[in-house]
Amino acid sequence: MLNFTVGPVQAFEEVKYIGGQDVPYFRTSEFSEILLENEKLIKEFTYAPKEARCVFLSGSGTASMEAAVANILTPGDRALVINGGSFGERFAELCKRYEIPCTEVKCESGKALTYDQLKPFENKSYTALLVNLHETSTGVLYDLSMLSRFCRNNGIFFIVDAISAFLADEIDMEKEGIDVLISSSQKALGCPPGISFLTLSRQALDRIENNHYKGLYLNLQSALTNMERGQTPYTPAVGTLLQMHARLLKIKELGGVKTEIERVRRLAGHFRENICKLPLDIYSENMSNAVTAVSTRKCSAYEIFMILKNEYGIWICPNGGELAEKVFRVGHIGNLTITDHNKLLAILYELAEKEILV
């Protein structure tokens, strides 16, 4: 199968090699060194402040989203949640479950957030803003600098889910004043699912220390204490952490985060330039490099997904809910090339010639 989904993505050779090995025992100095180097490289690739810390949780990105809300926010906060799709809805649901008062800034599906939508919330005593930087369900990439400016101007704690934006789009944690940056293993890192991680500013560390979260498995204070020695409180997804280490080192070897982002940007640009020649439309404004959301005109988007999967051995991303028949998504992250994208484009042209794609 050729994999154009947004995660798990097509694996790199160094990742597949480690996946074929026995998983080693992890309470060792050797594994601690690897975990600490993972932290160092993630901080480097996100331009995190020197005093920032990184912790690793065995769970999908939602585990770290929940950990951020549960450990860092309290019912005394007033949160703003940017909601432009299913992942924005997830942050809002987490706030409600943990009884964090929240207001949702609703964005029309596929549309970029504007400062005019934020203006009504200026100087209104909000204490935190939560955003999925790349609303993966629609492909929209929110304006990070605009959100950063709003948070700085209003003294707001800034939580950013960069699960599908990390290594695909530019993120400067220190420059943008990000307090919590969340990502995971199975997106642009190109590893199997199983690890999510949070990079935490000094302000976030202070909140964690003072909030006295009572939960066990998602306890960030415990995770931070263990991370001082390069360990986790409980058995982690050891193999995935080793695969992450190999990928981070490879990215560093090939030129670092800017080179990797440029690679993904070229793939996205090539696909978008050519998809416009078909009876299809680009669905979203201000897209992330990670994925292109494509809307159909008459044919069923889900039918296209099924045809590609069953007849051509290609995975693309279907959508759910009201977008299921209207939008499919094509990812540009993972071990993909221009040649791979050309193969997909050729098949889409073939479907258009057969009048399946209309």
mmCIF file of all heavy atoms in Angstrom, residues 247-295:
data_model
loop_
_atom_site.group_PDB
_atom_site.id
_atom_site.type_symbol
_atom_site.label_atom_id
_atom_site.label_comp_id
_atom_site.label_asym_id
_atom_site.label_seq_id
_atom_site.Cartn_x
_atom_site.Cartn_y
_atom_site.Cartn_z
ATOM 1 N N ARG A 247 14.756 8.762 13.967
ATOM 2 C CA ARG A 247 14.227 9.778 13.032
ATOM 3 C C ARG A 247 14.749 11.170 13.368
ATOM 4 O O ARG A 247 15.133 11.937 12.469
ATOM 5 C CB ARG A 247 12.699 9.784 13.076
ATOM 6 C CG ARG A 247 12.057 8.779 12.172
ATOM 7 C CD ARG A 247 12.314 9.060 10.695
ATOM 8 N NE ARG A 247 11.705 10.311 10.263
ATOM 9 C CZ ARG A 247 12.246 11.151 9.393
ATOM 10 N NH1 ARG A 247 13.427 10.917 8.861
ATOM 11 N NH2 ARG A 247 11.621 12.260 9.051
ATOM 12 N N LEU A 248 14.773 11.531 14.633
ATOM 13 C CA LEU A 248 15.267 12.847 15.031
ATOM 14 C C LEU A 248 16.733 13.013 14.637
ATOM 15 O O LEU A 248 17.145 14.066 14.133
ATOM 16 C CB LEU A 248 15.079 13.045 16.539
ATOM 17 C CG LEU A 248 13.624 13.186 17.004
ATOM 18 C CD1 LEU A 248 13.532 13.018 18.518
ATOM 19 C CD2 LEU A 248 13.028 14.534 16.590
ATOM 20 N N LEU A 249 17.529 11.968 14.848
ATOM 21 C CA LEU A 249 18.935 12.023 14.459
ATOM 22 C C LEU A 249 19.087 12.148 12.943
ATOM 23 O O LEU A 249 19.960 12.881 12.451
ATOM 24 C CB LEU A 249 19.670 10.780 14.962
ATOM 25 C CG LEU A 249 19.938 10.692 16.461
ATOM 26 C CD1 LEU A 249 20.585 9.352 16.797
ATOM 27 C CD2 LEU A 249 20.815 11.846 16.950
ATOM 28 N N LYS A 250 18.245 11.433 12.189
ATOM 29 C CA LYS A 250 18.314 11.491 10.731
ATOM 30 C C LYS A 250 17.942 12.878 10.226
ATOM 31 O O LYS A 250 18.588 13.410 9.295
ATOM 32 C CB LYS A 250 17.388 10.438 10.126
ATOM 33 C CG LYS A 250 17.561 10.239 8.632
ATOM 34 C CD LYS A 250 18.915 9.629 8.320
ATOM 35 C CE LYS A 250 19.062 9.276 6.862
ATOM 36 N NZ LYS A 250 20.376 8.659 6.556
ATOM 37 N N ILE A 251 16.915 13.468 10.806
ATOM 38 C CA ILE A 251 16.517 14.827 10.419
ATOM 39 C C ILE A 251 17.664 15.802 10.683
ATOM 40 O O ILE A 251 17.972 16.663 9.850
ATOM 41 C CB ILE A 251 15.238 15.245 11.177
ATOM 42 C CG1 ILE A 251 14.045 14.431 10.668
ATOM 43 C CG2 ILE A 251 14.957 16.739 11.020
ATOM 44 C CD1 ILE A 251 12.818 14.509 11.544
ATOM 45 N N LYS A 252 18.298 15.649 11.830
ATOM 46 C CA LYS A 252 19.456 16.485 12.176
ATOM 47 C C LYS A 252 20.570 16.293 11.145
ATOM 48 O O LYS A 252 21.173 17.265 10.657
ATOM 49 C CB LYS A 252 19.944 16.103 13.570
ATOM 50 C CG LYS A 252 21.181 16.842 14.051
ATOM 51 C CD LYS A 252 20.862 18.206 14.565
ATOM 52 C CE LYS A 252 22.069 18.820 15.274
ATOM 53 N NZ LYS A 252 21.813 20.197 15.719
ATOM 54 N N GLU A 253 20.848 15.051 10.792
ATOM 55 C CA GLU A 253 21.915 14.728 9.838
ATOM 56 C C GLU A 253 21.646 15.341 8.461
ATOM 57 O O GLU A 253 22.574 15.796 7.775
ATOM 58 C CB GLU A 253 22.034 13.205 9.721
ATOM 59 C CG GLU A 253 23.029 12.718 8.689
ATOM 60 C CD GLU A 253 22.917 11.224 8.438
ATOM 61 O OE1 GLU A 253 22.547 10.482 9.380
ATOM 62 O OE2 GLU A 253 23.177 10.795 7.305
ATOM 63 N N LEU A 254 20.377 15.368 8.051
ATOM 64 C CA LEU A 254 20.015 15.846 6.717
ATOM 65 C C LEU A 254 19.843 17.358 6.640
ATOM 66 O O LEU A 254 19.481 17.892 5.584
ATOM 67 C CB LEU A 254 18.732 15.151 6.252
ATOM 68 C CG LEU A 254 18.852 13.645 6.023
ATOM 69 C CD1 LEU A 254 17.501 13.044 5.667
ATOM 70 C CD2 LEU A 254 19.873 13.333 4.929
ATOM 71 N N GLY A 255 20.101 18.061 7.732
ATOM 72 C CA GLY A 255 20.039 19.523 7.679
ATOM 73 C C GLY A 255 19.147 20.170 8.699
ATOM 74 O O GLY A 255 19.069 21.399 8.774
ATOM 75 N N GLY A 256 18.431 19.367 9.482
ATOM 76 C CA GLY A 256 17.631 19.926 10.564
ATOM 77 C C GLY A 256 16.201 20.220 10.187
ATOM 78 O O GLY A 256 15.705 19.855 9.112
ATOM 79 N N VAL A 257 15.532 20.923 11.079
ATOM 80 C CA VAL A 257 14.092 21.119 10.967
ATOM 81 C C VAL A 257 13.719 21.941 9.734
ATOM 82 O O VAL A 257 12.722 21.654 9.056
ATOM 83 C CB VAL A 257 13.530 21.764 12.258
ATOM 84 C CG1 VAL A 257 14.102 23.155 12.496
ATOM 85 C CG2 VAL A 257 12.012 21.804 12.227
ATOM 86 N N LYS A 258 14.508 22.945 9.381
ATOM 87 C CA LYS A 258 14.169 23.768 8.214
ATOM 88 C C LYS A 258 14.204 22.950 6.936
ATOM 89 O O LYS A 258 13.344 23.115 6.059
ATOM 90 C CB LYS A 258 15.123 24.955 8.124
ATOM 91 C CG LYS A 258 14.897 26.005 9.203
ATOM 92 C CD LYS A 258 15.807 27.205 9.014
ATOM 93 C CE LYS A 258 15.546 28.268 10.085
ATOM 94 N NZ LYS A 258 16.432 29.448 9.917
ATOM 95 N N THR A 259 15.186 22.068 6.823
ATOM 96 C CA THR A 259 15.287 21.208 5.644
ATOM 97 C C THR A 259 14.102 20.258 5.559
ATOM 98 O O THR A 259 13.545 20.033 4.478
ATOM 99 C CB THR A 259 16.601 20.409 5.689
ATOM 100 O OG1 THR A 259 17.705 21.323 5.724
ATOM 101 C CG2 THR A 259 16.736 19.499 4.487
ATOM 102 N N GLU A 260 13.704 19.695 6.699
ATOM 103 C CA GLU A 260 12.573 18.767 6.709
ATOM 104 C C GLU A 260 11.274 19.475 6.349
ATOM 105 O O GLU A 260 10.467 18.959 5.553
ATOM 106 C CB GLU A 260 12.455 18.095 8.075
ATOM 107 C CG GLU A 260 11.307 17.117 8.209
ATOM 108 C CD GLU A 260 11.420 15.895 7.315
ATOM 109 O OE1 GLU A 260 12.489 15.664 6.713
ATOM 110 O OE2 GLU A 260 10.413 15.161 7.201
ATOM 111 N N ILE A 261 11.057 20.656 6.883
ATOM 112 C CA ILE A 261 9.837 21.408 6.558
ATOM 113 C C ILE A 261 9.809 21.757 5.078
ATOM 114 O O ILE A 261 8.766 21.657 4.419
ATOM 115 C CB ILE A 261 9.735 22.676 7.436
ATOM 116 C CG1 ILE A 261 9.443 22.277 8.890
ATOM 117 C CG2 ILE A 261 8.647 23.614 6.915
ATOM 118 C CD1 ILE A 261 9.527 23.431 9.874
ATOM 119 N N GLU A 262 10.951 22.140 4.535
ATOM 120 C CA GLU A 262 11.009 22.485 3.119
ATOM 121 C C GLU A 262 10.704 21.267 2.244
ATOM 122 O O GLU A 262 10.052 21.372 1.194
ATOM 123 C CB GLU A 262 12.385 23.047 2.774
ATOM 124 C CG GLU A 262 12.550 23.480 1.322
ATOM 125 C CD GLU A 262 11.507 24.493 0.863
ATOM 126 O OE1 GLU A 262 11.062 25.322 1.687
ATOM 127 O OE2 GLU A 262 11.137 24.456 -0.331
ATOM 128 N N ARG A 263 11.158 20.084 2.665
ATOM 129 C CA ARG A 263 10.852 18.855 1.925
ATOM 130 C C ARG A 263 9.343 18.628 1.858
ATOM 131 O O ARG A 263 8.787 18.329 0.797
ATOM 132 C CB ARG A 263 11.534 17.658 2.593
ATOM 133 C CG ARG A 263 11.355 16.337 1.867
ATOM 134 C CD ARG A 263 11.956 15.168 2.642
ATOM 135 N NE ARG A 263 11.163 14.830 3.814
ATOM 136 C CZ ARG A 263 10.110 14.021 3.777
ATOM 137 N NH1 ARG A 263 9.720 13.479 2.630
ATOM 138 N NH2 ARG A 263 9.428 13.749 4.885
ATOM 139 N N VAL A 264 8.677 18.765 2.994
ATOM 140 C CA VAL A 264 7.226 18.576 3.035
ATOM 141 C C VAL A 264 6.522 19.665 2.231
ATOM 142 O O VAL A 264 5.550 19.396 1.509
ATOM 143 C CB VAL A 264 6.736 18.559 4.502
ATOM 144 C CG1 VAL A 264 5.221 18.414 4.558
ATOM 145 C CG2 VAL A 264 7.403 17.430 5.277
ATOM 146 N N ARG A 265 7.016 20.903 2.326
ATOM 147 C CA ARG A 265 6.402 22.017 1.591
ATOM 148 C C ARG A 265 6.464 21.774 0.077
ATOM 149 O O ARG A 265 5.493 22.052 -0.644
ATOM 150 C CB ARG A 265 7.111 23.326 1.942
ATOM 151 C CG ARG A 265 6.516 24.549 1.230
ATOM 152 C CD ARG A 265 7.298 25.807 1.513
ATOM 153 N NE ARG A 265 7.070 26.266 2.872
ATOM 154 C CZ ARG A 265 8.000 26.358 3.813
ATOM 155 N NH1 ARG A 265 9.244 26.000 3.542
ATOM 156 N NH2 ARG A 265 7.705 26.797 5.014
ATOM 157 N N ARG A 266 7.579 21.255 -0.403
ATOM 158 C CA ARG A 266 7.707 20.987 -1.841
ATOM 159 C C ARG A 266 6.697 19.937 -2.302
ATOM 160 O O ARG A 266 6.081 20.063 -3.371
ATOM 161 C CB ARG A 266 9.124 20.530 -2.179
ATOM 162 C CG ARG A 266 10.148 21.647 -2.208
ATOM 163 C CD ARG A 266 11.408 21.203 -2.942
ATOM 164 N NE ARG A 266 12.010 20.011 -2.337
ATOM 165 C CZ ARG A 266 12.923 20.040 -1.383
ATOM 166 N NH1 ARG A 266 13.342 21.212 -0.912
ATOM 167 N NH2 ARG A 266 13.424 18.928 -0.891
ATOM 168 N N LEU A 267 6.523 18.876 -1.505
ATOM 169 C CA LEU A 267 5.556 17.841 -1.854
ATOM 170 C C LEU A 267 4.135 18.408 -1.919
ATOM 171 O O LEU A 267 3.374 18.126 -2.847
ATOM 172 C CB LEU A 267 5.620 16.696 -0.844
ATOM 173 C CG LEU A 267 6.910 15.874 -0.797
ATOM 174 C CD1 LEU A 267 6.847 14.854 0.331
ATOM 175 C CD2 LEU A 267 7.162 15.175 -2.133
ATOM 176 N N ALA A 268 3.799 19.210 -0.903
ATOM 177 C CA ALA A 268 2.453 19.804 -0.866
ATOM 178 C C ALA A 268 2.238 20.730 -2.054
ATOM 179 O O ALA A 268 1.180 20.703 -2.701
ATOM 180 C CB ALA A 268 2.267 20.567 0.457
ATOM 181 N N GLY A 269 3.233 21.559 -2.365
ATOM 182 C CA GLY A 269 3.107 22.497 -3.474
ATOM 183 C C GLY A 269 2.948 21.785 -4.810
ATOM 184 O O GLY A 269 2.129 22.188 -5.657
ATOM 185 N N HIS A 270 3.709 20.729 -5.008
ATOM 186 C CA HIS A 270 3.625 19.962 -6.252
ATOM 187 C C HIS A 270 2.234 19.348 -6.414
ATOM 188 O O HIS A 270 1.628 19.428 -7.498
ATOM 189 C CB HIS A 270 4.689 18.862 -6.246
ATOM 190 C CG HIS A 270 4.611 17.933 -7.410
ATOM 191 N ND1 HIS A 270 5.067 18.280 -8.671
ATOM 192 C CD2 HIS A 270 4.124 16.661 -7.518
ATOM 193 C CE1 HIS A 270 4.865 17.263 -9.495
ATOM 194 N NE2 HIS A 270 4.296 16.269 -8.823
ATOM 195 N N PHE A 271 1.726 18.757 -5.346
ATOM 196 C CA PHE A 271 0.411 18.125 -5.427
ATOM 197 C C PHE A 271 -0.674 19.168 -5.685
ATOM 198 O O PHE A 271 -1.552 18.972 -6.545
ATOM 199 C CB PHE A 271 0.109 17.361 -4.140
ATOM 200 C CG PHE A 271 -1.238 16.702 -4.137
ATOM 201 C CD1 PHE A 271 -1.445 15.511 -4.810
ATOM 202 C CD2 PHE A 271 -2.305 17.284 -3.472
ATOM 203 C CE1 PHE A 271 -2.688 14.904 -4.823
ATOM 204 C CE2 PHE A 271 -3.552 16.689 -3.476
ATOM 205 C CZ PHE A 271 -3.739 15.495 -4.153
ATOM 206 N N ARG A 272 -0.633 20.281 -4.989
ATOM 207 C CA ARG A 272 -1.683 21.299 -5.114
ATOM 208 C C ARG A 272 -1.686 21.944 -6.493
ATOM 209 O O ARG A 272 -2.749 22.270 -7.035
ATOM 210 C CB ARG A 272 -1.518 22.345 -4.005
ATOM 211 C CG ARG A 272 -1.859 21.789 -2.636
ATOM 212 C CD ARG A 272 -1.372 22.652 -1.495
ATOM 213 N NE ARG A 272 -1.575 21.952 -0.219
ATOM 214 C CZ ARG A 272 -1.077 22.345 0.939
ATOM 215 N NH1 ARG A 272 -0.339 23.443 1.014
ATOM 216 N NH2 ARG A 272 -1.309 21.641 2.036
ATOM 217 N N GLU A 273 -0.498 22.128 -7.047
ATOM 218 C CA GLU A 273 -0.418 22.703 -8.389
ATOM 219 C C GLU A 273 -1.087 21.805 -9.412
ATOM 220 O O GLU A 273 -1.766 22.275 -10.337
ATOM 221 C CB GLU A 273 1.054 22.919 -8.756
ATOM 222 C CG GLU A 273 1.270 23.502 -10.138
ATOM 223 C CD GLU A 273 2.730 23.654 -10.483
ATOM 224 O OE1 GLU A 273 3.588 23.491 -9.574
ATOM 225 O OE2 GLU A 273 3.036 23.927 -11.661
ATOM 226 N N ASN A 274 -0.941 20.498 -9.249
ATOM 227 C CA ASN A 274 -1.455 19.557 -10.238
ATOM 228 C C ASN A 274 -2.898 19.136 -9.988
ATOM 229 O O ASN A 274 -3.620 18.810 -10.937
ATOM 230 C CB ASN A 274 -0.550 18.329 -10.293
ATOM 231 C CG ASN A 274 0.753 18.610 -11.012
ATOM 232 O OD1 ASN A 274 0.811 18.594 -12.234
ATOM 233 N ND2 ASN A 274 1.797 18.899 -10.258
ATOM 234 N N ILE A 275 -3.332 19.158 -8.739
ATOM 235 C CA ILE A 275 -4.702 18.732 -8.435
ATOM 236 C C ILE A 275 -5.713 19.725 -9.007
ATOM 237 O O ILE A 275 -6.854 19.373 -9.325
ATOM 238 C CB ILE A 275 -4.899 18.561 -6.900
ATOM 239 C CG1 ILE A 275 -6.134 17.686 -6.609
ATOM 240 C CG2 ILE A 275 -5.061 19.887 -6.200
ATOM 241 C CD1 ILE A 275 -5.936 16.237 -6.906
ATOM 242 N N CYS A 276 -5.276 20.972 -9.183
ATOM 243 C CA CYS A 276 -6.181 22.009 -9.689
ATOM 244 C C CYS A 276 -6.554 21.789 -11.154
ATOM 245 O O CYS A 276 -7.470 22.435 -11.663
ATOM 246 C CB CYS A 276 -5.528 23.384 -9.527
ATOM 247 S SG CYS A 276 -5.363 23.896 -7.808
ATOM 248 N N LYS A 277 -5.835 20.884 -11.835
ATOM 249 C CA LYS A 277 -6.132 20.599 -13.243
ATOM 250 C C LYS A 277 -7.232 19.548 -13.382
ATOM 251 O O LYS A 277 -7.642 19.222 -14.499
ATOM 252 C CB LYS A 277 -4.860 20.132 -13.943
ATOM 253 C CG LYS A 277 -3.729 21.155 -13.885
ATOM 254 C CD LYS A 277 -2.422 20.562 -14.377
ATOM 255 C CE LYS A 277 -1.258 21.534 -14.167
ATOM 256 N NZ LYS A 277 0.044 20.931 -14.551
ATOM 257 N N LEU A 278 -7.691 19.011 -12.261
ATOM 258 C CA LEU A 278 -8.729 17.981 -12.247
ATOM 259 C C LEU A 278 -10.069 18.586 -11.825
ATOM 260 O O LEU A 278 -10.113 19.706 -11.308
ATOM 261 C CB LEU A 278 -8.323 16.882 -11.263
ATOM 262 C CG LEU A 278 -7.172 15.983 -11.712
ATOM 263 C CD1 LEU A 278 -6.542 15.271 -10.520
ATOM 264 C CD2 LEU A 278 -7.673 14.977 -12.736
ATOM 265 N N PRO A 279 -11.178 17.849 -12.027
ATOM 266 C CA PRO A 279 -12.482 18.343 -11.565
ATOM 267 C C PRO A 279 -12.625 18.204 -10.050
ATOM 268 O O PRO A 279 -13.524 17.520 -9.538
ATOM 269 C CB PRO A 279 -13.473 17.454 -12.318
ATOM 270 C CG PRO A 279 -12.730 16.198 -12.580
ATOM 271 C CD PRO A 279 -11.305 16.601 -12.811
ATOM 272 N N LEU A 280 -11.691 18.817 -9.340
ATOM 273 C CA LEU A 280 -11.640 18.816 -7.883
ATOM 274 C C LEU A 280 -11.278 20.222 -7.419
ATOM 275 O O LEU A 280 -10.704 21.006 -8.181
ATOM 276 C CB LEU A 280 -10.581 17.823 -7.380
ATOM 277 C CG LEU A 280 -10.788 16.344 -7.688
ATOM 278 C CD1 LEU A 280 -9.507 15.560 -7.426
ATOM 279 C CD2 LEU A 280 -11.950 15.772 -6.865
ATOM 280 N N ASP A 281 -11.576 20.516 -6.180
ATOM 281 C CA ASP A 281 -11.254 21.828 -5.625
ATOM 282 C C ASP A 281 -10.510 21.665 -4.309
ATOM 283 O O ASP A 281 -10.743 20.706 -3.563
ATOM 284 C CB ASP A 281 -12.531 22.642 -5.383
ATOM 285 C CG ASP A 281 -13.311 22.868 -6.670
ATOM 286 O OD1 ASP A 281 -12.759 23.497 -7.588
ATOM 287 O OD2 ASP A 281 -14.465 22.403 -6.753
ATOM 288 N N ILE A 282 -9.625 22.603 -4.033
ATOM 289 C CA ILE A 282 -8.982 22.639 -2.715
ATOM 290 C C ILE A 282 -9.982 23.224 -1.734
ATOM 291 O O ILE A 282 -10.538 24.299 -1.959
ATOM 292 C CB ILE A 282 -7.672 23.444 -2.775
ATOM 293 C CG1 ILE A 282 -6.638 22.663 -3.597
ATOM 294 C CG2 ILE A 282 -7.145 23.713 -1.370
ATOM 295 C CD1 ILE A 282 -5.317 23.363 -3.793
ATOM 296 N N TYR A 283 -10.226 22.493 -0.660
ATOM 297 C CA TYR A 283 -11.330 22.826 0.241
ATOM 298 C C TYR A 283 -11.019 23.970 1.192
ATOM 299 O O TYR A 283 -11.889 24.784 1.491
ATOM 300 C CB TYR A 283 -11.699 21.575 1.050
ATOM 301 C CG TYR A 283 -12.802 21.785 2.064
ATOM 302 C CD1 TYR A 283 -14.120 21.976 1.648
ATOM 303 C CD2 TYR A 283 -12.532 21.786 3.437
ATOM 304 C CE1 TYR A 283 -15.137 22.168 2.567
ATOM 305 C CE2 TYR A 283 -13.545 21.966 4.357
ATOM 306 C CZ TYR A 283 -14.842 22.158 3.919
ATOM 307 O OH TYR A 283 -15.844 22.350 4.832
ATOM 308 N N SER A 284 -9.788 24.055 1.665
ATOM 309 C CA SER A 284 -9.497 24.919 2.814
ATOM 310 C C SER A 284 -8.637 26.123 2.467
ATOM 311 O O SER A 284 -7.849 26.111 1.515
ATOM 312 C CB SER A 284 -8.782 24.115 3.907
ATOM 313 O OG SER A 284 -9.594 23.058 4.341
ATOM 314 N N GLU A 285 -8.762 27.143 3.274
ATOM 315 C CA GLU A 285 -7.889 28.299 3.220
ATOM 316 C C GLU A 285 -6.659 28.053 4.102
ATOM 317 O O GLU A 285 -6.710 27.288 5.051
ATOM 318 C CB GLU A 285 -8.626 29.537 3.755
ATOM 319 C CG GLU A 285 -9.867 29.916 2.977
ATOM 320 C CD GLU A 285 -10.610 31.079 3.611
ATOM 321 O OE1 GLU A 285 -10.269 31.466 4.761
ATOM 322 O OE2 GLU A 285 -11.519 31.603 2.964
ATOM 323 N N ASN A 286 -5.569 28.719 3.767
ATOM 324 C CA ASN A 286 -4.387 28.760 4.637
ATOM 325 C C ASN A 286 -3.998 27.361 5.128
ATOM 326 O O ASN A 286 -3.968 27.085 6.318
ATOM 327 C CB ASN A 286 -4.641 29.689 5.827
ATOM 328 C CG ASN A 286 -3.345 30.090 6.518
ATOM 329 O OD1 ASN A 286 -2.362 30.391 5.854
ATOM 330 N ND2 ASN A 286 -3.335 30.088 7.834
ATOM 331 N N MET A 287 -3.666 26.484 4.193
ATOM 332 C CA MET A 287 -3.432 25.088 4.522
ATOM 333 C C MET A 287 -2.051 24.840 5.123
ATOM 334 O O MET A 287 -1.072 25.492 4.777
ATOM 335 C CB MET A 287 -3.582 24.226 3.272
ATOM 336 C CG MET A 287 -4.997 24.098 2.781
ATOM 337 S SD MET A 287 -5.046 23.137 1.242
ATOM 338 C CE MET A 287 -4.212 24.266 0.128
ATOM 339 N N SER A 288 -1.994 23.843 5.985
ATOM 340 C CA SER A 288 -0.732 23.309 6.469
ATOM 341 C C SER A 288 -0.028 22.589 5.320
ATOM 342 O O SER A 288 -0.665 22.103 4.382
ATOM 343 C CB SER A 288 -0.986 22.318 7.611
ATOM 344 O OG SER A 288 0.145 21.524 7.862
ATOM 345 N N ASN A 289 1.300 22.507 5.420
ATOM 346 C CA ASN A 289 2.045 21.694 4.455
ATOM 347 C C ASN A 289 1.744 20.207 4.625
ATOM 348 O O ASN A 289 2.007 19.413 3.721
ATOM 349 C CB ASN A 289 3.549 21.907 4.642
ATOM 350 C CG ASN A 289 3.991 23.324 4.341
ATOM 351 O OD1 ASN A 289 3.550 23.921 3.372
ATOM 352 N ND2 ASN A 289 4.866 23.858 5.178
ATOM 353 N N ALA A 290 1.201 19.835 5.779
ATOM 354 C CA ALA A 290 1.048 18.415 6.103
ATOM 355 C C ALA A 290 0.016 17.703 5.251
ATOM 356 O O ALA A 290 0.158 16.511 4.956
ATOM 357 C CB ALA A 290 0.688 18.254 7.582
ATOM 358 N N VAL A 291 -1.038 18.408 4.844
ATOM 359 C CA VAL A 291 -2.157 17.729 4.179
ATOM 360 C C VAL A 291 -2.919 18.712 3.303
ATOM 361 O O VAL A 291 -2.980 19.909 3.599
ATOM 362 C CB VAL A 291 -3.110 17.101 5.227
ATOM 363 C CG1 VAL A 291 -3.794 18.143 6.069
ATOM 364 C CG2 VAL A 291 -4.133 16.181 4.570
ATOM 365 N N THR A 292 -3.488 18.179 2.233
ATOM 366 C CA THR A 292 -4.375 18.958 1.371
ATOM 367 C C THR A 292 -5.775 18.363 1.457
ATOM 368 O O THR A 292 -5.965 17.165 1.206
ATOM 369 C CB THR A 292 -3.899 18.929 -0.090
ATOM 370 O OG1 THR A 292 -2.570 19.450 -0.164
ATOM 371 C CG2 THR A 292 -4.813 19.769 -0.974
ATOM 372 N N ALA A 293 -6.726 19.205 1.840
ATOM 373 C CA ALA A 293 -8.132 18.780 1.857
ATOM 374 C C ALA A 293 -8.725 19.089 0.482
ATOM 375 O O ALA A 293 -8.663 20.222 0.005
ATOM 376 C CB ALA A 293 -8.888 19.511 2.956
ATOM 377 N N VAL A 294 -9.282 18.059 -0.150
ATOM 378 C CA VAL A 294 -9.780 18.164 -1.522
ATOM 379 C C VAL A 294 -11.287 17.931 -1.515
ATOM 380 O O VAL A 294 -11.771 16.940 -0.956
ATOM 381 C CB VAL A 294 -9.097 17.117 -2.427
ATOM 382 C CG1 VAL A 294 -9.625 17.223 -3.853
ATOM 383 C CG2 VAL A 294 -7.582 17.303 -2.399
ATOM 384 N N SER A 295 -12.019 18.844 -2.146
ATOM 385 C CA SER A 295 -13.473 18.673 -2.216
ATOM 386 C C SER A 295 -13.877 18.217 -3.613
ATOM 387 O O SER A 295 -13.325 18.659 -4.621
ATOM 388 C CB SER A 295 -14.200 19.971 -1.849
ATOM 389 O OG SER A 295 -13.810 21.026 -2.700
#
